[in-house]
Amino acid sequence: MRAAHHNAYHAGHHRFAVFTAGATFVLLIAGALVTSNDAGLAVPDWPTSFGSLYKIPPMVGGVKYEHGHRMVAQFVGLLTIVLAVWTQRVEPRGWMRGLGWGALALVIVQGVLGGVTVLFFLPPWVSTAHATLAQAFFSTVVLMALFTSRGWVEEESRMALDVRRPRLATLAAWSAAAIVLQLILGAAFRHSGMKLLPHLILAVVVTALILWTSVRALMDYAHAPEIFRPALVLLVLLVVQLGLGFGAYLTRVEWSQDAPQPLASMVATTVAHVAAGALLLAASVVLVAQTRRHLADPDEIRHDHRHKTHTPKAVHA
């Protein structure tokens, strides 16, 4: 059992990280509304909007989605700057300070990709990178909220042995990686950079991995809420996401092929599908973090013990 952390919990910093994560989730929805309403070029210039950096254009038609998305993005960018600087001032953990700067770097790159996709008329792979990076940024901020929480800062780690193979931490990492790949394929399909079939095939793999991971976690660690809760959330989100995916398929592929403009049902299901995908990724990375924090590998413990046993004049000195 490892010693407890001795970092001081900072309630204000944690709440601000949670708020930033919530605002980022709203930004994801705003971005999905732009794509689903085919409003990506409703504002044709960048970084200005119709030639102005500060004037709000008439919010009509696709402009309300595209310019609204830009306004939310600017707000999240400002929040991220504050969060990164605040983290430097209050965090004793060097890796957390690095994560703060990392989040800021991600949001800057994300903004540039958003501009490039407008200036070059929505190239599929740039638009796909923009959509996928948004999900990665959301998960990064969610992790910052987790790492600044009272439970993470003040509780002890390593409370149980992870004896089965593959380790739960490994399964959780595989699930998170598969979800990332699935989000890339989904974004590529939405932005017309790829057919739907790869996304459907990988959905089977992702479903199997998440079921394996979450059921293992729920059965073996029902006594460990830090692991049980994200595993349960992951499982529930998977069920929701599969239903939304089927709905998005019906409304986008089957019902909207000859529609003169995006159907409201297609917009609703697609946006919900994108949002649930972001939550699914966030839940998976939280589970990865919690398994690595609270589960110990017996082989690693034995290796550490042997190392201490065989180095020892230092020990017996």
Side-chain angles (χ1 to χ4, degrees):
M1 186 79 67
R2 294 185 180 180
H5 285 259
H6 298 290
N7 304 304
Y9 167 66
H10 195 298
H13 184 227
H14 169 62
R15 289 170 186 157
F16 191 81
V18 171
F19 180 74
T20 304
T24 304
F25 186 64
V26 173
L27 176 59
L28 279 165
I29 294 174
L33 282 170
V34 172
T35 305
S36 299
N37 284 285
D38 294 334
L41 295 178
V43 180
D45 51 338
W46 184 88
T48 55
S49 288
F50 298 106
S52 176
L53 282 172
Y54 60 89
K55 289 183 179 178
I56 300 177
M59 302 293 273
V60 296
V63 175
K64 64 176 176 290
Y65 299 113
E66 172 61 16
H67 192 73
H69 174 53
R70 294 187 185 191
M71 293 173 70
V72 179
Q74 290 169 357
F75 180 60
V76 170
L78 179 61
L79 291 178
T80 308
I81 292 172
V82 174
L83 180 61
V85 173
W86 197 348
T87 300
Q88 311 311 307
R89 294 181 63 84
V90 302
E91 262 297 340
R93 297 168 293 184
W95 59 269
M96 265 300 296
R97 295 194 297 273
L99 191 60
W101 289 134
L104 181 57
L106 281 178
V107 85
I108 291 172
V109 173
Q110 178 68 353
V112 172
L113 283 175
V116 170
T117 197
V118 170
L119 295 177
F120 290 89
F121 308 108
L122 310 180
W125 291 107
V126 177
S127 299
T128 299
H130 180 61
T132 307
L133 194 62
Q135 315 265 12
F137 173 69
F138 173 61
S139 289
T140 301
V141 183
V142 168
L143 284 178
M144 291 190 71
L146 171 68
F147 296 151
T148 56
S149 65
R150 184 186 295 277
W152 188 279
V153 171
E154 296 184 349
E155 289 182 3
E156 293 185 351
S157 62
R158 305 292 189 191
M159 61 186 184
L161 294 177
D162 191 2
V163 296
R164 299 173 68 179
R165 292 294 183 269
R167 294 178 57 202
L168 182 59
T170 303
L171 283 177
W174 288 352
S175 294
I179 293 170
V180 170
L181 183 56
Q182 179 69 335
L183 292 175
I184 292 173
L185 297 183
F189 169 68
R190 288 196 309 280
H191 294 282
S192 305
M194 183 177 284
K195 300 292 185 182
L196 179 60
L197 185 59
H199 185 58
L200 295 178
I201 293 173
L202 188 59
V204 177
V205 178
V206 172
T207 299
L209 274 174
I210 292 178
L211 285 175
W212 189 4
T213 304
S214 56
V215 171
R216 165 87 73 84
L218 295 176
M219 292 180 64
D220 291 357
Y221 301 102
H223 62 287
E226 295 85 356
I227 294 171
F228 185 87
R229 285 192 297 242
L232 182 60
V233 170
L234 192 63
L235 186 59
V236 171
L237 283 172
L238 172 66
V239 175
V240 172
Q241 183 68 333
L242 289 174
L244 289 171
F246 182 66
Y249 171 79
L250 285 180
T251 56
R252 175 179 284 270
V253 179
E254 298 293 336
W255 299 348
S256 298
Q257 284 187 335
D258 300 322
Q261 61 185 16
L263 299 176
S265 59
M266 187 277 286
V267 173
T269 54
T270 302
V271 170
H273 190 50
V274 172
L279 292 175
L280 202 62
L281 178 61
S284 71
V285 297
V286 167
L287 183 60
V288 170
Q290 294 288 26
T291 53
R292 291 191 174 279
R293 175 173 168 78
H294 292 287
L295 299 183
D297 184 351
D299 293 339
E300 183 180 314
I301 293 175
R302 281 192 290 270
H303 178 271
D304 290 346
H305 178 73
R306 282 198 296 269
H307 181 72
K308 289 177 182 177
T309 303
H310 290 91
T311 43
K313 290 183 176 181
V315 171
H316 298 290

